[in-house]
Amino acid sequence: MKKIAAATLAALSMSFAWAADADLIVIGSGGAGLSAAITAAQAGKSVIVLEKMAYLGGNTNRSEGGMNAAGTKQQLAHGVTDDSPMRMSLDAQKGGHWLNDPALTLVLAENARHAEEWLLSLGADFCHRMGRGGGQTAARRHGPCDGSPVGVEVMRVLTKAVKDLPKIEIRKQTRATELLMKDGAVVGVKAVGKDGKAYSLEGSAVVLATGGFGNNQKLIEKLRPEYKGFKTTNHPGAMGEGIDLALGAGATLVDMREIQAHPTAVPGKGILISESMRASGSYLVNNEGRRFTNELNPRDVVANAILQQPGKTAWILIDNALVQKNKLAKGYTSADYAVHGNTVEELAAAMKVSPAVLKETMDKYVKAYNEKKDPEFGRPEMITPCNVFPMSAIPVAPAIHHTMGGVRINTHAQVIGTNAKPIPGLYAAGEVTGGVHGGNRIGGNAVADIITFGRIAGQTAADNMK
Ligand code: ADP
């Protein structure tokens, strides 16, 4: 008798033995997923978050440079009085080659400041950062006051908020494999847990927050053969399974070919050297020691410029003034991929470039800084002369960074089906979605996107359950 019961139980758990209920099931524990979970829990809903990896935070953990937000109190305190959500939206659309869904981009721009305030209310140590990023017409980056990576701070406050909210349960090493449907609506998720067993979860709604596919080399090469052999800055879990989950529920996709190569990653390694270095005064030289571009152009423009240089790589120069005030710069320049010099001659020798050429380049940059004008390349602001020794140089090359395409959503983060209508019960936010960034994402808009649309997804899902 005992034997039969054990066998029956085992057979049951092989298929889908456990039915756990929550109001909302969130797939993915990055910035988008946790923002959705917290927002829904703050609205009184119970939430289960599924995360396939053994750690939380996906690519959000790796986000370094900052969070864009226009019209914040911190900008005003720094004297940035001419920014606005409309301007942020136009920058994003211009940078995205006008491929963006303008309604989504406007929602991003209008709500980013509220998203930033929300993070502050959860305890984020965020300051406004001077210096504009590539393709931006105003200084609107925000992040930890000591220049540390933004993503770590975002995950710190979101995971703390999750712990403080008893209505959220997180299941790590649990992979969502299918969305469960009933009468055309999404009513749950099929998942495989830590123990390798499949089970079903039922909920009133599901938020897809599975991130992008920047580590899925096969898919990237299929969509963009010219990216064959590129390294990636993405975490190992960025495989794009969310796209298949959504397709299984009848979702539509948008802009799948739009894949961003970040201009400055360490060649052969894919380690990101954040755009915030350039925004804070660093600049690029080629393997001959010459500048070749406006470093504050959008990412795709700078990446293409590097690919046209000898050896298809370049160097980013970081001076000691930046290292002294910026933790990220300190980290990069103390890594083994950086070379250093106490003089121009030493630095040139370490970079294997002509000292006379490097000196001429540096003198010209200091002149551009002093005269607030860069006649050669039209860089809109230099921020610093970038000439305080000891100086460091880091080799850089483009690497796959962000996938702009994905699941089509509307401004309420509802997933749009093949009949052009929202699929009941299904919401999506963050890098798994497409349309917000068009053909090229502006640096700093990813964190703005995941928090903004994560909150919208959590709120809409909660509202529609009432
Ligand atoms: P975003 O920036 O959009 O929030 P992230 O990359 O930070 O995206 O987070 C997405 C998370 O979703 C990652 O931690 C990733 O491991 C997780 N994820 C991806 N696919 C699945 C899946 N099928 N089941 C559970 N978690 C998933």
Side-chain angles (χ1 to χ4, degrees), residues 24-61:
L24 179 66
I25 300 160
V26 175
I27 312 175
S29 72
L34 293 192
S35 296
I38 293 164
T39 305
Q42 285 173 337
K45 305 300 175 191
S46 63
V47 185
I48 294 176
V49 179
L50 306 180
E51 170 53 58
K52 69 174 179 175
M53 307 299 279
Y55 55 88
L56 305 183
N59 270 350
T60 304
N61 287 322

Side-chain angles (χ1 to χ4, degrees), residues 58-249:
N59 270 350
T60 304
N61 287 322
R62 297 183 172 214
S63 173
E64 296 187 340
M67 171 184 190
N68 290 339
T72 66
K73 289 186 192 120
Q74 294 133 306
Q75 277 180 309
L76 287 181
H78 255 169
V80 181
T81 52
D82 57 348
D83 200 12
S84 68
M86 185 51 80
R87 204 161 154 174
M88 176 170 165
S89 172
L90 288 175
D91 285 351
Q93 290 181 73
K94 188 172 176 214
H97 311 301
W98 308 102
L99 267 182
N100 322 45
D101 177 333
L104 293 178
T105 310
L106 197 56
V107 165
L108 167 77
E110 275 177 348
N111 290 283
R113 60 197 159 137
H114 305 306
E116 200 254 346
E117 268 169 27
W118 184 69
L119 287 176
L120 291 176
S121 78
L122 296 180
D125 161 43
F126 270 17
C127 290
H128 172 248
R129 291 176 169 173
M130 291 307 284
R132 42 183 117 158
Q136 294 188 39
T137 57
R140 62 172 74 99
R141 298 173 307 121
H142 300 72
C145 303
D146 63 0
S148 331
V150 68
V152 174
E153 179 65 0
V154 166
M155 285 309 296
R156 182 186 73 78
V157 299
L158 294 182
T159 44
K160 184 178 176 303
V162 164
K163 277 192 195 125
D164 293 346
L165 284 161
K167 286 197 159 218
I168 305 178
E169 179 196 340
I170 298 211
R171 299 187 185 181
K172 287 191 216 166
Q173 289 171 281
T174 301
R175 179 190 301 269
T177 55
E178 194 184 329
L179 298 179
L180 299 173
M181 309 285 295
K182 195 176 172 202
D183 304 329
V186 172
V187 293
V189 177
K190 213 174 198 179
V192 176
K194 221 185 226 178
D195 53 6
K197 288 180 181 155
Y199 65 99
S200 293
L201 280 169
E202 283 176 21
S204 302
V206 171
V207 172
L208 203 55
T210 46
F213 55 93
N215 212 343
N216 189 334
Q217 225 153 3
K218 241 187 180 169
L219 181 56
I220 288 169
E221 275 176 32
K222 191 172 143 205
L223 293 164
R224 297 288 294 271
E226 69 271 31
Y227 284 147
K228 190 175 165 57
F230 274 51
K231 293 284 171 197
T232 182
T233 62
N234 283 232
H235 86 118
M239 297 300 285
E241 294 130 274
I243 302 287
D244 293 328
L245 292 174
L247 284 176

Side-chain angles (χ1 to χ4, degrees), residues 239-282:
M239 297 300 285
E241 294 130 274
I243 302 287
D244 293 328
L245 292 174
L247 284 176
T252 46
L253 305 180
V254 60
D255 295 341
M256 285 296 284
R257 282 191 78 254
E258 304 306 330
I259 297 166
Q260 178 175 80
H262 193 292
T264 57
V266 179
K269 295 191 167 140
I271 298 169
L272 181 70
I273 307 297
S274 165
E275 184 174 316
S276 63
M277 296 296 100
R278 280 171 283 140
S280 306
S282 287

